[in-house]
Amino acid sequence: MKKILVVACLTAFASLSYAEGAVKWGYEGNIGPANWGDLSKEFATCKTGQVQAPIDIQTKQAAKNSAPIKTNYKASASELLNNGHTIQLNLADGGSANLGGADYKILQFHFHTPAEEKIDGKSFPFNAHLVHKSADGKLAVIGILFNEGKENAALKEIFATMPAAEGKTPLKAPFNASTMLPSSLAYYNYAGSLTTPGCSEGVQFYILKTPVELSSAQLTAFKKIFPMNARPVMPLNGRKITEGS
């Protein structure tokens, strides 16, 4: 089955969301999310896991968490990948973020439409998951929510360059992930999993409270390639949600 590619899906870890390989899976019909756990024994956690992502974040249940997100991103050579399930940008050396008091290197980020997480039942049309890995192999994701509005300048070259068919293409200019971030890094945190098969658990999610914007044209361009690539929200199963500023 597919290796798991890092950054949001990864290089050596392959994908925070994306498995490659012989087992075909998707987002609709008999290979859709409701059936992932039955497609392969390697996907069993998609069915049996108790801390699965994404979730509907109920803000009234969030407990205060004093640890702020600190980012130290930098411009990096990068490669755009259409892996058959999303558009992903792999970063050669994009810097790091301090999440929950630990340092994580950013590996990649990828996109979902609609956004996978919900906030108090509210859906967003688009989101980005920024995938990070610590020195001891732990994964953490910063999630950015998008509303439709003005063109997103940070993503302009990505949307102009993204491959319509499976494959890779280099981004011409170095990319700095900090250009994607909203003005506030206040967040909701929960323990979750990869949001694609095999749905491995042990991933910390930091979903930023402040949405950013992308244009209708940008959203339409992505949907021409991936009309829908979001896993439905999963049961909370007693997990705690925290928030930080």
Side-chain angles (χ1 to χ4, degrees):
M1 74 161 257
K2 284 190 162 195
K3 301 174 192 172
I4 292 181
L5 240 155
V6 171
V7 182
C9 313
L10 320 175
T11 31
F13 202 89
S15 168
L16 205 209
S17 276
Y18 305 106
E20 301 181 2
V23 180
K24 186 175 181 180
W25 60 272
Y27 289 95
E28 296 181 317
N30 59 9
I31 60 169
N35 298 310
W36 286 349
D38 298 318
L39 296 177
S40 166
K41 64 180 181 180
E42 303 294 337
F43 297 172
T45 303
C46 301
K47 184 176 183 179
T48 62
Q50 295 298 298
V51 289
Q52 291 288 289
I55 64 169
D56 182 355
I57 296 169
Q58 300 298 307
T59 61
K60 290 183 179 179
Q61 298 178 16
K64 297 293 183 183
N65 181 336
S66 59
I69 290 175
K70 298 178 181 178
T71 61
N72 186 27
Y73 297 144
K74 59 185 179 180
S76 170
S78 56
E79 179 182 69
L80 271 172
L81 168 68
N82 177 333
N83 61 17
H85 301 291
T86 192
I87 297 295
Q88 174 178 308
L89 189 74
N90 295 321
L91 298 163
D93 185 14
S96 63
N98 188 278
L99 304 167
D103 289 326
Y104 292 79
K105 179 181 178 180
I106 185 169
L107 300 173
Q108 50 96 333
F109 60 85
H110 56 271
F111 304 112
H112 298 279
T113 185
E116 292 199 305
E117 282 81 17
K118 295 183 179 180
I119 307 293
D120 291 329
K122 179 183 177 181
S123 296
F124 293 80
F126 195 75
N127 80 319
H129 278 158
L130 285 63
V131 182
H132 303 70
K133 189 177 182 181
S134 66
D136 60 356
K138 294 178 181 177
L139 294 177
V141 175
I142 294 177
I144 304 174
L145 301 169
F146 289 74
N147 284 317
E148 267 191 72
K150 62 185 179 181
E151 181 181 59
N152 191 298
L155 301 182
K156 187 172 182 178
E157 186 182 350
I158 291 173
F159 280 85
T161 310
M162 57 187 177
E166 289 188 47
K168 302 175 182 178
T169 186
L171 205 63
K172 292 180 181 178
F175 190 88
N176 190 324
S178 65
T179 61
M180 298 173 58
L181 299 174
S183 56
S184 169
L185 297 184
Y187 65 88
Y188 297 108
N189 167 241
Y190 72 94
S193 68
L194 303 186
T195 65
T196 60
C199 307
S200 302
E201 297 181 341
V203 182
Q204 288 292 323
F205 282 81
Y206 296 81
I207 307 302
L208 301 184
K209 294 181 180 182
T210 304
V212 296
E213 293 183 349
L214 83 168
S215 68
S216 176
Q218 288 177 313
L219 182 59
T220 297
F222 185 87
K223 285 187 171 183
K224 283 183 179 178
I225 305 173
F226 298 106
M228 194 284 285
N229 68 334
R231 187 187 195 188
V233 294
M234 305 301 292
L236 195 59
N237 291 331
R239 277 176 283 177
K240 293 182 178 179
I241 299 169
T242 61
E243 60 180 337
S245 56

